Amino acid sequence: MSMLPQADKDSHYAVNVPAPDDFTFWRDAARVLVQCRVPPDQIAWGEPGSTGDLFAAGDQPLPLPPANAPMVRASKPFIQAAEAAICHSDPARFALLYRLLWRLQGNRNLLDDRTDNDVRRLDELARSVRRDKHKMRAFVRFRAMEDADGQERYVAWFEPEHHILRSNAAFFVNRFSNMRWSILTPRGSLHWDGEVLGEGPPAERGDAPDGDPAEDLWRRYYASIFNPARLKIGAMLKEMPRKYWKNMPESALIPELVAGAQAREAAMVEAGALEFEERPATLPAIDRAIHGCRKCPIGELDNQAVMGEGPPNATLMIVGEQPGDQEDRQGRPFVGPAGQVFDAHMQRAGIDRGTVYVTNAVKHFKFVDRGKRRLHQTPTAKEIDICRWWIESERHIVQPRLILAMGASAARGMLGKTVSVSKARGVPHVLEDGAELWITAHPSYLLRLDGPAREEQERMFQADLQAVAERLAEMTG
Amino acid sequence: MKSSIIDRLAILADAAKYDASCASSGTAKRNSKDSGGKGIGSTEGMGICHAYAPDGRCISLLKVLLTNHCIFDCHYCINRASSNVVRARFTPQEVADLTLSFYRRNYIEGLFLSSGIVKSSNHTMEQLVEVARILREEHDFRGYIHLKTIPDADAELVHQAGLYADRVSINVELPTDAGLARLAPDKNTGRIEGAMGEVKEHIAQNRDETKRFRHAPRFAPAGQSTQMIVGADAASDADIVGKANRLYDGFGLRRVYYSAFSPIPDASAVLPLKRPPLMREHRLYQSDWLMRFYDYSAAEVMQATGADGMLPLDIDPKLAWALKFRDRFPVNVNRAGREALLRVPGLGVRAVNQLIAARRQRTLRLEDVGKLTVSIAKVRPFIVTADWRPTLLTDRADLKSLVAPPAEEQLELFAA
Ligand code: SF4
């Protein structure tokens, strides 16, 4: 377009911007028009392919500004916002930008006034373009294919809302510089060969490849990484509007993930939650509750729960592993052969069993049936952890200041982790409520030994009890 | 027989889903074109969320465990030694390949790698570092890497991790020492915080070095972060805010993440039976914002809690604070300073900046303020404009119901 030597005061101008995102062209034309003092309502801006020329006069060549025309002023925030806003698909954007540039000449701080409607619209356009650019960086999904020369090329189909393809190219070049790739859109296409960026014509969806083996992996990842216990669909839709879904391989899964979430959460809860109610407030209440407890498989066996016994305000609590055959039949702790060994050592240490609260880490007897005999089975870590609810309930009520755990299972019931008895015995461990925990072997272990080994273990067991007796004397002093 | 990559990915991603951290921002800018086009990847300063999951959380990184085998026995953790979940493990090479394959297709910004503890802390940490080494050294990978450091791993290994990774983190797990002792008997606050202190030292030293030698390798340029589980123990919101504040101050953490305790399969009996409301987690994040962007001190956030030390669930902490300190309002939007404006419920940082810019040009009326905020109804009782003064509104007993919006409506996803 050529320029006429003078600006006609009442002329109308139709300016066609050659490409929808051509900021440089718009800026040059706008500068001339401002210098010639052509008011906004005398210009019709359009882009190629746009319809309805307001002034129908065709291309009126731009005027030539007078020699003494003042500098056109545009603040930096305006230029930045305008560069973004020009990529918007709103046909009125060129006129809006010109109107703002025109008004800026009279008020250089105009852009600071976000209560002004033109300023607000500029901000909206710029933000929506930035968002579209950002979403393109996020939601483009490349698929691997082979070029004619046998080399790998990554091709994506994307449908941007605005004219952002060109201004977004540098991001992809910088990120994927060692790949060959193409991004195809209905507004044009980009091709990178590792060295040169090329622009191509608008494309159609069918031009892009269809699937990629990595998509199965990606979908499986997408389905696994979300937590069905915390469905927040609104938050998802806000950031990933549905208009982008159709070109993202993972989004096809969303309906079934949402539909299945509740069932998945229910399953998680069922597999996990144990539905213990409030802690019982008294020892008899615990006694009743454990008789009904089936939280672990041991409770399903043919047995009865065995409650701890002793003064409900005892200073010393002694914890064994679980009831044995005798205890199960009699419904009382420490009455079988191990209980007798235990009693004998207690006497020697000078501890009156009547002053001690004696109980077990696991409340039911775990065994396998061998005809006439029921063979003791060690509870698993998980079973101990489940039953820990009950021993903790007892501790809450009795509040012993000293606890002696006999054997690894009992120690686990107190600590929540497995420790080695041989390493942990003989020294106090302070529990979170301030109680002191001592650890020793289980008396039934002594029963399984003979000869010098047994003598040695008996001595150590006795020493541990002695230490506890002394500590108890100190405490009750 | 070893199961397929895809099956193991399902297991090891599923096991990672309780980790709240996902950010991939705040690191040094770099790209693969600068490297002469030999490598792949870039970081822009701002991370990109490549997808959103139905739980509303963003997916910006491949977040997986190297293995879910673990010798520790933390009760809140699905991977604890005594749990009988299906176990799986990746080799370092497999994780590196998976990361690159996803990255090339633009699914992710990088990798967030964590692990159960196998054999020993050092052995596990070595494996994590190896993944990062393969990515950085063999593929010149310039995307984001976040490595979880393993409790008790050697300082030297943690140092190596920081040289490869953008961010390192170690989870404090529980807000109180008693909670940690009870629920994570193999872990220990002193050792966790000791490790954080070491990372802080490395970061400070590295900042010195990069000043003196421009090409010194950067150590964890995106800093360190941590995560706390909310609702698994008895800690109150005030406890949690206090703990977060001490962590920010003491270790220069970039972020403290909160993760509402979720029911896990195969849970242990020492855990509570009900998950805390997700809103509680949200309120904690809001209080975090108040401290990081609105200049509230931890003590002030605690003032917003009730007698039980809990933040209200029905209103946000900023509004709760304002309702307690009504004598600080109304604030005159045409005259008040920035700090006073930032305290107005319903005015965000952006709106306050815009108000200040706009009032240099004109005297603001209620309508003008309305253009800058989402809900003028929420703001109105707390401000004075040229044409508006709330008559004793801030003294009304029912103020809370006047300004607190009704419960958010769930968007109907599948409505036609
Ligand atoms: S052993 Fe313990 S947890 Fe298992 S059913 Fe009996 S009381 Fe319940």
Side-chain angles (χ1 to χ4, degrees), chain A residues 47 152 155 225 236 258 261 297 300 360 457:
Chain A
E47 61 190 296
E152 202 168 48
V155 182
I225 198 63
M236 170 185 70
V258 171
E300 309 279 2
N360 283 303
Q457 284 299 323

Side-chain angles (χ1 to χ4, degrees), chain B residues 22-309:
Chain B
C22 76
S24 50
S25 38
T27 192
K29 285 192 189 187
R30 52 176 189 258
N31 68 53
S32 54
K33 196 133 175 282
D34 285 351
S35 71
K38 284 193 292 292
I40 179 163
S42 61
T43 51
E44 299 265 303
M46 272 269 284
I48 298 174
C49 301
H50 285 263
Y52 290 81
D55 56 15
R57 296 199 281 191
C58 105
I59 299 176
S60 73
L61 300 168
L62 169 62
K63 194 195 301 185
V64 283
L65 302 192
L66 193 59
T67 173
N68 65 342
H69 290 274
C70 192
I71 54 176
F72 278 18
D73 218 357
C74 307
H75 290 274
Y76 50 80
C77 178
I78 182 167
N79 304 317
R80 67 183 193 282
S82 60
S83 153
N84 44 29
V85 286
V86 184
R87 307 281 173 171
R89 64 188 263 281
F90 280 132
T91 63
Q93 188 66 49
E94 284 169 337
V95 178
D97 289 346
L98 208 49
T99 307
L100 289 168
S101 161
F102 283 181
Y103 197 89
R104 285 194 192 103
R105 288 161 180 82
N106 201 42
Y107 301 161
I108 51 171
E109 291 286 286
L111 173 68
F112 175 12
L113 186 61
S114 170
S115 183
I117 301 166
V118 274
K119 291 195 194 148
S120 68
S121 292
N122 280 346
H123 171 81
T124 310
M125 196 68 225
E126 273 163 20
Q127 301 271 301
L128 297 182
V129 170
E130 174 63 7
V131 176
R133 191 201 61 78
I134 295 174
L135 284 169
R136 293 285 196 233
E137 290 187 353
E138 292 177 17
H139 299 274
D140 194 10
F141 176 69
R142 306 191 142 233
Y144 194 90
I145 298 180
H146 177 164
L147 293 180
K148 187 69 78 61
T149 65
I150 302 297
D152 298 333
D154 270 0
E156 180 47 35
L157 285 169
V158 174
H159 185 243
Q160 272 181 40
L163 290 178
Y164 290 127
D166 293 277
R167 172 172 284 184
V168 292
S169 63
I170 183 165
N171 287 353
V172 295
E173 313 292 14
L174 275 314
T176 63
D177 294 0
L180 193 73
R182 176 173 162 79
L183 297 177
D186 301 299
K187 293 187 181 167
N188 162 304
T189 310
R191 292 203 308 264
I192 291 173
E193 296 193 352
M196 281 183 179
E198 266 165 31
V199 169
K200 182 191 170 191
E201 286 288 298
H202 286 314
I203 291 176
Q205 257 173 31
N206 183 251
R207 202 168 296 144
D208 258 22
E209 281 162 19
T210 42
K211 256 185 226 142
R212 276 180 295 151
F213 315 103
R214 227 158 40 83
H215 295 293
R218 297 285 310 266
F219 182 91
Q224 63 171 332
S225 64
T226 194
Q227 166 167 314
M228 247 188 273
I229 301 168
V230 173
D233 65 0
S236 69
D237 289 345
D239 294 337
I240 293 170
V241 168
K243 174 84 179 188
N245 184 50
R246 283 195 298 282
L247 293 173
Y248 279 125
D249 279 2
F251 305 107
L253 293 185
R254 264 325 153 79
R255 282 297 303 275
V256 175
Y257 290 91
Y258 300 112
S259 170
F261 162 73
S262 343
I264 55 168
D266 207 21
S268 150
V270 293
L271 287 174
L273 308 170
K274 269 188 256 146
R275 68 165 189 224
L278 286 182
M279 189 49 84
R280 183 173 173 204
E281 181 190 289
H282 183 62
R283 296 295 181 225
L284 284 167
Y285 275 121
Q286 286 178 321
S287 70
D288 204 61
W289 273 77
L290 292 184
M291 294 199 287
R292 293 192 301 142
F293 301 107
Y294 288 76
D295 272 349
Y296 285 64
S297 66
E300 285 174 317
V301 171
M302 290 181 204
Q303 287 169 340
T305 62
D308 54 356

